[in-house]
Amino acid sequence: MAAVLSRVLRRGPRVATADGGDLAAAVAPAAVEVGPRWLRLGDGYAATLIVTGYPAEVGAAWLEPLLAWPGRLDLALHIDPVPVPVAAARLRTQRAKLESSRRADNNAGKLADPYVEAAADDAGELAGRLARGEAKLFKVGLYLTVHAASEPELVVACAQVKAAAASTLLDLQPATWRQLQGWTTTLPLGVDNLGMTRTLDTAALAASFPLAGPDLPAPLPGEPARTGGVLYGVNPDSQGVIWWDRWACENHNSVVLARSGAGKSYFVKTEILRSLYQGVHIAVIDPEDEYLRLAGAVGGTVVRLGAAGVKVNPFDLPSGDTRADVLTRRGLFLHTLISVLAATNLPPGERAALDRAILAVYRAAGITADPATHHRRAPLLADLAAALDADADPAARVLAARLAPWVVGSFKDMFDGHSTHRPDGHLVVWSLRHLPDEVRGVGTLVALDHIWRTVDRPQHPTGTSSQARRLVVVDEAWLLMRQDAGAAFLYRMAKASRKRGAGLCVITQDAADMLCTELGEAVIANAATQILLRQADSAIDAVGRAFGLTGGEKRLLLSAERGQGLLLSGAHRTRFESVASPAEHALATTSPGRVLKVDQGLE
């Protein structure tokens, strides 16, 4: 076996001076062994690769595939501007050569060479932009130094980097016999010791900036370190940790869009568990009893709307709220609720009759604007229907007939008695599983109203202030978005929750119901944190327009595995994969097969 020619450079035991004048002696490796295709730097190995071939066209952030490679990679981009007169002369010479080739082929009766034709057209266009001052030329050298722990690992790493470069039509060649010069070229010294450059114009060079990376940006120098947030997952591209703090954003709302089975509830449950550790109070609207096991594990409260004996009286006034307009606020919500019960926007006559009846039933119960009367038992929906029947206005009787199914008909079970629950605590789950599909929208609205009263009141019974952090999770929000009054209520909650130290998390598998209405788009626009998991083919175009997704991002969402997706927040975009510990997985999984294995202790 032939011996590898190499030379070793060693430095003595020099110590950096106090003023930092000998910094290189303090941080440089103790020895550098130079080989034809690699360097040995201390205990590691490095190899420098030179970009020798470029694609005909480049897009924005075209260096991202290299920067996203999950390993240690030093990338150096050396830029040397070419003076305009020199650039113009070189372009003129190049155009003359190309034109000469075209004429020679034409005179010889040969077919035009498409590569020469394309190069001549590009050179002419570039010369025109250069003459108008719209572009400049630069000599650019692009070099990469790959690091590994051993020589075999270095060979594998270099092959992976070459494959990543080939995906963007970049051709890499090793700096054979010039590895020492290549390594120093990629150090932050600003010196190009290789001189393997390519001429690029302004547009191609500008597309290289910023040097995009797959991870979220770290705090800038001088900014305080971030202390809040929870673990969202890991980045599959870089294996970096995705740690996100919704409370540090301009608002605390989030939206989670995904098709059925993409892992949206799994992801939200892991965030709930991790938020509880930080003292966040959480309320969940649960249409399918997916959060009951979680609530049982952490000592939460569950309210099963629609179950036998469970009653909710929407006329109840919030306890502990002594503001002068409490009765007025309750009356306004009752207008919204009755509109949802009637499944229509009430005409002016019926709205006027409803307002008279609301005030009348509260007066009959001895409740007025005086806070001293608010402890008295509130009226029921049946009392409101009776007051409407007693009104001489025909519009009132029409409205009473609209409410009949909710008072004496098939849907009366939830409202035909006084409230049986006053849920409070660190985690409250409002289960809608026992409600028929026809009344789930109403159940969601009633639960949201109770949650909002908890968020909005100035003092909680536990003694915590109204500014204590609260997270409201609305699963399957399309149930509420189908109705105008319900969508408007959800929009108002999204707008006003930030000032009360609360955040709204909207989850839906039907992106069309969120994106086809102005209120749905407004709810998304008021969510600083946006989570997109796997999308359906029929919805990807609408989702792409709403969130400004690139073609690559849309393809990623169409082929994403369960739990994988994108985290969007303003200018921040990163890919992530939800991860959970075994204990979290046991509480978060909803797959019937996995739940059975968890219950049997097999997972």
Side-chain angles (χ1 to χ4, degrees), residues 27-53:
V27 300
V32 177
E33 182 179 350
V34 183
R37 290 179 175 267
W38 48 261
L39 293 176
R40 185 175 181 182
L41 306 172
D43 295 332
Y45 288 78
T48 299
L49 304 174
I50 306 171
V51 178
T52 57

Side-chain angles (χ1 to χ4, degrees), residues 338-351:
I338 300 303
S339 296
V340 174
L341 296 181
T344 184
N345 290 324
L346 301 180
E350 293 184 19
R351 291 184 66 86

Side-chain angles (χ1 to χ4, degrees), residues 29-100:
V32 177
E33 182 179 350
V34 183
R37 290 179 175 267
W38 48 261
L39 293 176
R40 185 175 181 182
L41 306 172
D43 295 332
Y45 288 78
T48 299
L49 304 174
I50 306 171
V51 178
T52 57
Y54 293 79
E57 295 182 0
V58 294
W62 56 279
L63 292 179
E64 181 177 357
L66 295 176
L67 295 172
W69 180 69
R72 183 183 172 189
L73 176 69
D74 298 332
L75 185 147
L77 187 67
H78 292 266
I79 304 169
D80 186 16
V82 178
V84 175
V86 176
R90 291 180 180 177
L91 270 177
R92 187 163 51 249
T93 302
Q94 184 67 18
R95 293 181 64 193
K97 292 179 181 179
L98 295 171
E99 186 63 27
S100 176

Side-chain angles (χ1 to χ4, degrees), residues 428-507:
V428 178
V429 176
W430 293 80
S431 170
L432 309 181
R433 180 68 178 269
H434 299 278
L435 290 174
D437 292 341
E438 294 79 5
V439 299
R440 283 199 175 187
V442 175
T444 303
L445 181 61
V446 170
L448 278 176
D449 167 63
H450 190 282
I451 293 170
W452 179 249
R453 282 186 285 169
T454 304
V455 170
D456 189 46
R457 64 192 179 192
Q459 188 71 25
H460 299 302
T462 57
T464 58
S465 69
S466 61
Q467 297 303 315
R469 289 178 175 176
R470 289 185 173 270
L471 179 61
V472 181
V473 179
V474 183
D475 206 343
E476 303 299 351
W478 60 271
L479 293 171
L480 198 60
M481 296 302 298
R482 291 184 302 182
Q483 301 169 347
D484 293 342
F489 185 88
L490 195 63
Y491 168 68
R492 292 196 299 270
M493 190 171 187
K495 292 281 286 185
S497 59
R498 180 186 65 84
K499 297 180 180 179
R500 293 160 176 82
L504 175 66
C505 177
V506 176
I507 312 169

Side-chain angles (χ1 to χ4, degrees), residues 535-569:
Q535 301 294 317
D537 295 345
S538 58
I540 190 61
D541 290 335
V543 172
R545 287 191 299 270
F547 295 92
L549 302 181
T550 64
E553 290 171 337
K554 290 192 288 186
R555 289 191 296 271
L556 185 151
L557 293 179
L558 287 174
S559 60
E561 299 291 336
R562 178 178 296 179
Q564 293 185 353
L566 293 174
L567 166 63
L568 312 179
S569 181

Side-chain angles (χ1 to χ4, degrees), residues 398-434:
V398 171
L399 182 56
R402 293 179 187 270
L403 295 179
W406 302 93
V407 177
V408 296
S410 302
F411 305 144
K412 67 180 179 63
D413 293 340
M414 188 163 54
F415 298 122
D416 63 349
H418 293 281
S419 298
T420 57
H421 293 73
R422 287 195 176 275
D424 208 346
H426 58 285
L427 175 62
V428 178
V429 176
W430 293 80
S431 170
L432 309 181
R433 180 68 178 269
H434 299 278

Side-chain angles (χ1 to χ4, degrees), residues 230-244:
V230 298
L231 174 67
Y232 270 27
V234 297
N235 190 323
D237 295 325
S238 66
Q239 302 304 313
V241 174
I242 305 298
W243 191 274
W244 189 253

